[in-house]
Amino acid sequence: MKSSPNQDPYLVRRRRVQAGLTQGELAVRAEISQSYMSMLERGHASASAPVLKRLADVLGCEIAELMPPLSAPRVVGAAA
């Protein structure tokens, strides 16, 4: 079973575009490779906590704003 990435690829890309940065520019500022940045935005790689922190710092947001929303816990046996 494939695990989900730590970051939400859509939110990372949206924040980058809003900041007016190319993938390469964001990668340089966050001290990661452009190919890794591309993989993060496509959901093909998962960002570590330090990388999420650097991305958030460069993008001027909180780490939580780059992560998938938490889903509500499901109650087993509850009526839908």
Side-chain angles (χ1 to χ4, degrees):
M1 182 171 149
K2 184 179 176 186
S3 64
S4 298
N6 293 330
Q7 76 288 349
D8 182 319
Y10 171 78
L11 295 176
V12 173
R13 181 179 188 282
R14 188 174 85 189
R15 285 282 181 175
R16 176 182 60 77
V17 170
Q18 286 175 340
L21 298 172
T22 65
Q23 280 185 349
E25 291 167 336
L26 178 54
V28 167
R29 293 182 189 187
E31 301 174 2
I32 60 174
S33 71
Q34 193 278 328
S35 61
Y36 182 46
M37 185 68 239
S38 175
M39 290 173 63
L40 293 175
E41 284 193 4
R42 289 182 288 133
H44 293 190
S46 192
S48 66
V51 168
L52 281 172
K53 171 75 169 113
R54 292 195 306 265
L55 289 171
D57 287 347
V58 172
L59 295 171
C61 66
E62 298 294 323
I63 293 171
E65 296 175 68
L66 301 177
M67 298 177 73
L70 295 175
S71 58
R74 299 178 81 180
V75 178
V76 177

